[in-house]
Amino acid sequence: MAVHDLDMSRFLAGTDPIEILSIGSCHIDKSIEVLEGAEAFDTASCLVRYPNGVQAHIDVCRQSSYGYDQRAEVLGTKGMIATDNVYPNTARIFRNDFTGNADMPYDFFLSRYNEAYVTETVAFCESLVNDTPVPCTGIDGLVALVMALAAGKSAEEDRWVKFSEITDQVYCASPTTCSLLTEVEDFPEGFKPVTDATELLTPSVDDVKTEEAATNPIGNLFKSFTSK
C-alpha cells in the first residue's frame, strides 16, 4: 500500500535506494489479518537507506478520519522543505477556542491530486505527439514495484532487505522481459539480480519436448503409437 510513497522517496532523494526495513500491523479492519504477507497490514512504517547516509522514513495507514492525509518533509543540513495537504480553500479561522483551516482536507485522492493527473496526462500526450521521452519511464515503475515487494519481505522476515533479492524473483517473468531488462543500462545497479539472469528464464515448450525425447526415446515412441 506504500508503493507511491516509496516511489516519491526515491524522487525526493534523487538517487536509487540500497535497502529497506519495514514493519506492519493491523488496527482498523481485523478481518484482513487472515490475508498473506503485507496484505494483512493496514498500518506500516518503512525505513529506506540511500547512498551518502540519506534516510527516508515512511508512515502509511489505510484510514485517515480527517481527510486524505499525505505530507512530505525533506530535512537537510541547511534547512527543510515541507509539502502540506490540499484544502478546498485557503480560509483559516482564528478564535479563542480554535485556530486552523476552515475546511477539512480533501477526502479522495482524485480531488487531492487533480492537478497532478491533468499535468501527467498532458505530459504523456505531448510525448506521443512529439515523439519525446516520457517524464516517468517503465524503469521508474519497475523500481517502485521492487521497492514495495522488498518492503513486504522485510516486514515478513523482520530484517533489512536488499532490492537485488527481490529482482531475483521477478526479473525474468518471461524471456522477452528478461532480454529487454538485461539490455537497459538505466536499470539501477543495486536492483539487478545477483544471479545470472539467463538462469531464471522459463524453457520454451519445444526445448522441453526435445529434451524429453532425448532422455526417453522408448517412452516417446510408445506415445506416438498410442496417439494413433
Side-chain angles (χ1 to χ4, degrees):
M1 62 179 171
V3 61
H4 298 300
D5 307 272
L6 292 166
D7 184 33
M8 177 59 70
S9 76
R10 177 175 176 248
F11 173 78
L12 293 175
T15 187
D16 294 308
I18 301 172
E19 56 186 349
I20 190 170
L21 179 66
S22 306
I23 57 173
S25 54
C26 182
H27 299 279
I28 300 168
D29 185 3
K30 294 296 183 179
S31 66
I32 70 172
E33 287 185 312
V34 298
L35 300 178
E36 294 184 3
E39 294 298 321
F41 304 146
D42 56 34
T43 306
S45 294
C46 306
L47 186 61
V48 187
R49 181 175 291 154
Y50 286 88
N52 301 319
V54 176
Q55 303 171 28
H57 190 189
I58 300 170
D59 295 316
V60 291
C61 184
R62 292 190 183 275
Q63 177 175 301
S64 175
S65 59
Y66 49 87
Y68 199 85
D69 184 18
Q70 197 159 48
R71 293 161 287 140
E73 293 182 356
V74 178
L75 179 63
T77 56
K78 296 183 179 180
M80 182 189 75
I81 183 172
T83 63
D84 203 352
N85 290 314
V86 179
Y87 295 80
N89 58 66
T90 59
R92 291 176 60 85
I93 297 175
F94 298 86
R95 296 194 311 231
N96 61 356
D97 60 346
F98 174 80
T99 298
N101 293 86
D103 287 308
M104 302 285 278
Y106 284 119
D107 60 357
F108 192 50
F109 72 94
L110 288 178
S111 302
R112 169 68 171 82
Y113 291 105
N114 178 67
E115 293 184 10
Y117 280 110
V118 172
T119 301
E120 71 178 23
T121 302
V122 170
F124 181 70
C125 291
E126 288 181 345
S127 296
L128 292 177
V129 172
N130 301 320
D131 194 22
T132 56
V134 291
C136 297
T137 67
I139 295 298
D140 293 324
L142 181 58
V143 168
L145 172 62
V146 171
M147 291 179 71
L149 294 174
K153 185 178 183 68
S154 172
E156 183 176 357
E157 300 181 3
D158 193 24
R159 66 178 179 88
W160 284 93
V161 173
K162 292 186 179 296
F163 299 109
S164 58
E165 298 180 40
I166 303 301
T167 315
D168 269 339
Q169 302 172 17
V170 301
Y171 194 74
C172 293
S174 69
T176 303
T177 303
C178 180
S179 175
L180 290 174
L181 289 179
T182 304
E183 297 169 1
V184 175
E185 296 180 356
D186 294 335
F187 198 57
E189 189 64 34
F191 282 71
K192 292 181 179 179
V194 295
T195 57
D196 183 0
T198 58
E199 296 179 3
L200 303 177
L201 287 170
T202 302
S204 68
V205 176
D206 291 336
D207 290 342
V208 173
K209 289 181 178 179
T210 302
E211 183 178 350
E212 290 179 348
T215 56
N216 189 14
I218 297 178
N220 282 280
L221 181 62
F222 176 76
K223 288 181 180 179
S224 64
F225 279 115
T226 56
S227 61
K228 296 178 181 178

